[in-house]
Every structure is written in structure tokens, then in C-alpha cells.
Amino acid sequence: MKNLNKISVLLILFLGLTFTSCETTDLDLINDPNQVTVENGNLERYMVAIQVDFSRFANAMGGNGAALVRVGQMGSVNYVNAFEPVNTNYEWRLAYVNMFSDMLNAEELAVQQEGRNKHIGVLRVLKAYTLLSLVDYFGDVPLTEPNNLADFPQPNADDDAAVYAAALAMLDEAISLLQDDESISLGTDFYYNNNFDQWVKLANTLKMSAYVNTRLVDGSAMSKFNAIANTGNFISSTSDDFEFTYDVIINDEIDSRHPSYQSDYTAGGATNYKSNWLMDNMLQDNDPRIRYYFYRQNACTPNSVDEEGNTCPTDPERLFCSTQPKPSHYPGSMVFCSVENGYWGRDHGFGGGIPPDTFKRTAFGVYPAAGNFDDNRYDSVGLEQGGGGAGITPIFLASWSHLMLAEMALASGSSTAGSHLNNAMQISIAKVMSFGSLDGEANLDTTDDGGYVPTSGTVNEYISSTVAEFNGGNSQTKWEILGVQHLTAHYGNGSDSYNYYRRTGYPTSLQLTVEPSPGNFVRSLFYPADEANTNPNIGQKPNVDGQIFWDNNPPSPGFPSAN
């Protein structure tokens, strides 16, 4: 992880440059831009603002996807209420009001100054990712008319397939620009510290991801994916991971900590609920990542059992559902309300009130939010604990690339899918476990030495048994296992898992919504209220059933099956 020195740029930002962006209060998440001068200062400031807004966008959109596929917890009883139009105003504003507007200004400055092709290349990559993500969530979105109020005060939405094609073209252009050896580096590069070979790998990886999404509607997607994969010039190792790194600084002006840390490590306790499905699934599978993802504040969840097998009493005040029977539409094996061993979360679609349980709920752990490592201390969460919030927003990781390789191999009938799954799990688990050192108070001895860190033997057994089950299973079993590993590895950013679920319909073992009739699954989001209510050229969707162009699976209800 990068060490982020923020003071110099923060002072520069306060000197008075007016951005089109609405929110610039935490642009402290940056390094000292040694290259900022009177000549290029405005361009570098724009680049800083765009990079920070991009991290916010990726984090917020990833939270939407996570809630839909049970990587996060969906806190409304049905899908329409959970994703009302007002809920995505923030993400839309980050893209269109902040980033895309700033990108126009930044590129104009870059063109005026010599040797700024790498700046433009980075802008192309970030815009392409943003456009691909907007299509994945909304379908048709504006591309050709926004940020031109004089000619298009109320921009139309472009066809989603056309936006995808334009984004891919941007990535091709970016690769060429990033390879310009005569171009100077960015003043501040939060992501790759001006290693433009890594930016090229990212651009190739985003192209591969787009081809994975379009494999159901484009007969050439597989060959285009393989052409890049065969070069090896994509994100394949952790050193190339695309992520945004936070810091521990907090004062009256700034808060540079991970957003999930900010929400859970407070004087008043944890404020977020975690997904019962994910915690239960990882617990039952003995997933080595569970103590890194989640931090328990108590040893016993009401109406369950603790690690010693002792029965935990019900607690109707703090966990009302602990006194309730399992919903009749839940299969007998499906977790409901109470996860064993003190994992205290909520079910998919449980939208009840907020009881006095903030010092009981399971909190975010040391990965990726830099909270506490779970070493059975069961202390209440509080300020400045664990890694202090100096975690990451994962945006595209090497393990995810290997999961893509596994999916495309499985889709093509290749026998290499299991090998790719093995690589993905090895890389994911190693990265997650490396975060343990962020918590200086944690007991990081291995389980063989009386600690709580899984031994290499435990990790290898988990991976080898999973891969063996995958290799020995039928097609449905393979897609199911790949789906579970896909969702688990994407903890911290659920966007790609939301896409996987719509592409494949797996995993089918996801926890059902508590409400037996939650409405059809979200195949695309409503347009944000701020846009639909003010722009007559973008009419609001009638429902969330609309399928984007690459989703040619059967309509809902019926698909996906775990609704």
C-alpha cells in the first residue's frame, strides 16, 4: 500500500481553484504532487479531484451490487424500495456533474500543454470504467450529449450497447496514449504511482471484463478475451491490483479513513449490518478469510450456538427475529436470523427498525476497511482501533482476473477452469491475510501456536478441497462453486458479482428475501430521481425488470432463481 502524504496538495486545493465538482471536502486522500507548478497547477488539481471522485463512485456503485447479491445486506423488504430512484443520486452526480465535467476541463488544459498524453490516457481509462459501470447498472445512459448545456441542456440517453462500444474504444485510445514515452507523468497518481505499464494492464483488464459481460450476446467476445489473456498483459498479480488506498487522518477539515471504517468504528458502536448469508456461508465452509472480513463484538448470537456449542438465549429487544420461526418459504438448511459463533447480522431484505444493538453487531474487519482483526477479543468497537481505517476500495484485483479466466474456461468447456479457480483463491486469500498486520493489537499467531491466523496447511486444504469438488462436479456444481467464490472474493466491491449473477444465475444457494413476495429481482436500476425528475428526455423506468443489452437470460421472475 502507498503511504499518502496529503498536506501539500490539500493546501493547494484550498488556494481557490473552482472545480465543477460539487464535493471536494476530502481531497486530502492524495500525495504531495511534486510536479505541480504555476504552469500546470490547474490540470494537476483537476486530476486529483477526478481520481478521488472516481474512488467514491467505484465504492458507492460496488455497495449497490453487494447488497443485491448478499455480499452486503439489503435493508428493505422488497427490491423496489431498496433501490428507489433517490438512492443513486449521489453516484450519478459523481459521474456526470463531477467527473465527466472535470474531465472535459482537464483534457482541454492537457491539450493546451505539451506532453500530457499520459494525463489524457488516464482520463480515458477512468471514464471508460465509469461508463461501463453506468451501463451495467442503468442500461441506456447519456454519452454524446451531457456536459454541453449550450447545445443539449437536457441530454438524451444513448443506447447501452453503443456506450459499451465507445468505452472499449476509449480503452484502446488510452493504451496508445499511455505508451507515449515523450509524455510527462502525472503530478499525483493515487493508483499506480505513475507506472504506466500498470495503467495499460488495467485498460486491457477492463476490456476483458467487458468481453466477459458480453459473451452471451457477442459470438466474438470469447476470442477477443482470449487474445488479451494470451498476451499476459493484464492484472494477474497482486502487485498490479487497481485499488484506492485510504489513510488514518481525521480532523475538523478532513476524514481520510475508509468509509466502512468511518461507519463502524465510532463512539456509538457499529452502524452497518452485515450479510447473514455471507457470514454463514464462510463460517460453514471454514473460509480462511472470515476473521479478516468480519469483527465480532460478542461471542453468542441469540437463538444460536457459540464456538463451544453452548446455546445462546433469545434476545427479543436486540434481535427480534430470534424469537420468530423461520419463514415458510425458506428451505430447511437456509440460515435465518442467527448465525452461529457470534456473527450478528441481518437477513436479505430484512427492513426492521434499529434496536440497541450497535455494540453487538458484527463490524467490518481488517480487510478491506482496516478495522480490527477478529482474534476472539470481543471488545466493543471504538475510535482509532485496528488499522485506523487505512484500508482500500478494491476496484479490480488480480484474483478477480483469474475468476474471469475460470468463467470463460468453464463457458467454453475448457479443462483449465479448475486451475484458474485455484489461482484466484490462492491470490485472494493471500492478499486478505496480508491485511492482518494493519491491526497492531491483534493476535496474529497461527492456530497451531494458540492464535487465530489459519495455518498454511489449513488454507491449502480449503483451496484443494474446493477445487477438487469443482473438478469432480457436474456443470451446475461448477457454476455454483465458482459463483460462491466469486461473491466471496469480491467483498468490498460487489459490482462484478452483480454482473456475474445476472450472467449466470449462480449461485442458486443465496439466501432468499425474508418477504416471500419481494418483487422481481433488479435487472437494472431506476434512473436517479435528480435526473429523471428534471430531464424529460430520460423518462423514469416503470420497474427494475429492464434487462441491459448483454443480459439475454430469461426475464424475471424465474431468473435468477434465488430471489
Side-chain angles (χ1 to χ4, degrees):
M1 296 182 194
K2 308 174 186 71
N3 293 318
L4 303 183
N5 179 355
K6 308 163 183 66
I7 303 303
S8 298
V9 170
L10 184 61
L11 292 174
I12 290 170
L13 289 170
F14 285 157
L15 290 179
L17 177 66
T18 301
F19 290 101
T20 57
S21 304
C22 297
E23 298 174 276
T24 58
T25 56
D26 60 353
L27 295 181
D28 57 292
L29 306 171
I30 45 186
N31 287 320
D32 183 359
N34 295 321
Q35 297 182 30
V36 172
T37 66
V38 173
E39 178 185 3
N40 66 15
N42 287 0
L43 173 59
E44 297 303 338
R45 292 171 190 164
Y46 275 119
M47 297 300 294
V48 164
I50 290 163
Q51 290 178 72
V52 173
D53 279 334
F54 176 80
S55 73
R56 295 168 174 165
F57 174 83
N59 187 74
M61 294 305 286
N64 293 324
L68 282 163
V69 296
R70 290 69 155 176
V71 173
Q73 195 269 333
M74 189 180 84
S76 295
V77 297
N78 60 58
Y79 289 109
V80 168
N81 289 345
F83 293 93
E84 293 180 303
V86 296
N87 291 356
T88 53
N89 284 336
Y90 174 67
E91 293 91 323
W92 192 269
R93 185 171 68 249
L94 283 173
Y96 284 99
V97 180
N98 290 24
M99 281 191 288
F100 291 170
S101 180
D102 282 352
M103 285 174 178
L104 283 174
N105 294 332
E107 184 167 342
E108 181 179 354
L109 290 169
V111 170
Q112 292 173 1
Q113 304 168 23
E114 292 184 3
R116 300 301 192 277
N117 278 347
K118 288 176 179 175
H119 289 69
I120 299 173
V122 168
L123 293 175
R124 291 285 190 276
V125 174
L126 299 182
K127 186 168 186 177
Y129 177 101
T130 304
L131 287 169
L132 292 169
S133 183
L134 288 167
V135 169
D136 290 342
Y137 279 96
F138 295 105
D140 297 344
V141 294
L143 170 64
T144 57
E145 297 181 359
N147 304 116
N148 184 356
L149 292 177
D151 296 332
F152 303 107
Q154 296 171 326
N156 286 280
D158 292 81
D159 175 73
D160 51 359
V163 177
Y164 240 61
L168 285 166
M170 287 181 194
L171 291 171
D172 285 333
E173 183 182 4
I175 291 170
S176 176
L177 292 165
L178 292 165
Q179 293 174 328
D180 180 0
D181 292 336
E182 302 301 318
S183 178
I184 68 172
S185 298
L186 279 64
T188 301
D189 178 357
F190 299 136
Y191 299 98
Y192 286 131
N193 196 28
N194 285 315
N195 184 325
F196 296 100
D197 289 339
Q198 291 179 306
W199 278 104
V200 170
K201 288 183 179 181
L202 169 62
N204 281 327
T205 306
L206 296 181
K207 291 176 64 177
M208 293 170 69
S209 179
Y211 297 144
V212 173
N213 279 340
T214 57
R215 68 176 176 81
L216 298 177
V217 296
D218 179 5
S220 65
M222 184 74 72
S223 61
K224 289 184 286 190
F225 175 93
N226 288 332
I228 299 174
N230 291 338
T231 68
N233 195 22
F234 62 95
I235 297 173
S236 60
S237 66
T238 303
S239 61
D240 296 322
D241 282 348
F242 184 47
E243 59 195 29
F244 186 83
T245 307
Y246 298 88
D247 209 322
V248 300
I249 293 178
I250 176 173
N251 56 42
D252 291 340
E253 299 288 346
I254 58 176
D255 191 339
S256 66
R257 303 170 303 167
H258 193 290
S260 296
Y261 185 93
Q262 293 182 42
S263 68
D264 270 8
Y265 289 80
T266 74
T271 62
N272 277 305
Y273 286 105
K274 309 305 175 287
S275 165
N276 274 348
W277 175 81
L278 183 60
M279 292 190 294
D280 180 71
N281 192 79
M282 295 180 73
L283 179 64
Q284 301 306 321
D285 285 354
N286 198 27
D287 192 309
R289 293 165 286 196
I290 191 168
R291 289 182 178 271
Y292 299 83
Y293 284 9
F294 305 109
Y295 174 75
R296 294 167 295 169
Q297 298 188 83
N298 67 293
C300 217
T301 312
N303 199 31
S304 187
V305 295
D306 64 16
E307 290 183 336
E308 305 300 324
N310 302 311
T311 300
C312 309
T314 61
D315 187 345
E317 180 184 11
R318 293 182 178 85
L319 194 63
F320 176 73
C321 59
S322 66
T323 65
Q324 304 301 302
K326 182 178 292 189
S328 59
H329 63 288
Y330 272 34
S333 60
M334 183 166 288
V335 64
F336 169 67
C337 183
S338 302
V339 181
E340 297 175 356
N341 295 6
Y343 289 97
W344 187 308
R346 277 192 167 181
D347 299 317
H348 183 61
F350 183 82
I354 305 300
D357 63 352
T358 56
F359 291 109
K360 295 289 186 180
R361 303 175 195 173
T362 295
F364 288 106
V366 73
Y367 178 89
N372 291 330
F373 172 76
D374 189 342
D375 55 7
N376 284 28
R377 74 188 85 164
Y378 304 124
D379 292 338
S380 297
V381 295
L383 300 172
E384 300 182 359
Q385 291 182 0
I392 64 166
T393 287
I395 306 175
F396 213 104
L397 305 182
S399 58
W400 304 357
S401 292
H402 291 277
L403 288 167
M404 288 197 304
L405 292 167
E407 178 179 345
M408 294 300 259
L410 183 55
S412 67
S414 170
S415 61
T416 62
S419 176
H420 294 308
L421 176 61
N422 178 82
N423 292 338
M425 295 176 68
Q426 294 278 4
I427 294 170
S428 173
I429 293 171
K431 182 181 183 71
V432 169
M433 291 181 64
S434 73
F435 275 62
S437 60
L438 294 179
D439 181 358
E441 302 298 319
N443 178 351
L444 296 180
D445 291 337
T446 66
T447 51
D448 283 350
D449 299 318
Y452 300 93
V453 172
T455 65
S456 59
T458 298
V459 171
N460 290 335
E461 170 59 25
Y462 170 72
I463 294 172
S464 62
S465 62
T466 302
V467 173
E469 183 182 1
F470 177 91
N471 287 332
N474 58 24
S475 176
Q476 289 76 20
T477 298
K478 290 179 178 179
W479 283 111
E480 185 77 17
I481 292 172
L482 180 59
V484 169
Q485 288 301 322
H486 198 291
L487 271 58
T488 305
H490 282 75
Y491 187 68
N493 187 338
S495 290
D496 281 347
S497 290
Y498 176 47
N499 293 343
Y500 177 92
Y501 188 51
R502 286 179 293 168
R503 285 195 305 270
T504 68
Y506 290 94
T508 60
S509 57
L510 292 180
Q511 186 185 41
L512 301 178
T513 311
V514 175
E515 165 62 41
S517 300
N520 291 340
F521 183 75
V522 179
R523 305 296 278 272
S524 66
L525 298 178
F526 285 119
Y527 286 119
D530 284 352
E531 184 70 26
N533 293 345
T534 60
N535 183 356
N537 291 327
I538 297 183
Q540 187 55 273
K541 302 175 184 179
N543 50 51
V544 293
D545 300 356
Q547 297 169 224
I548 63 175
F549 80 100
W550 54 253
D551 176 8
N552 68 351
N553 282 303
S556 299
F559 186 93
S561 62
N563 193 12

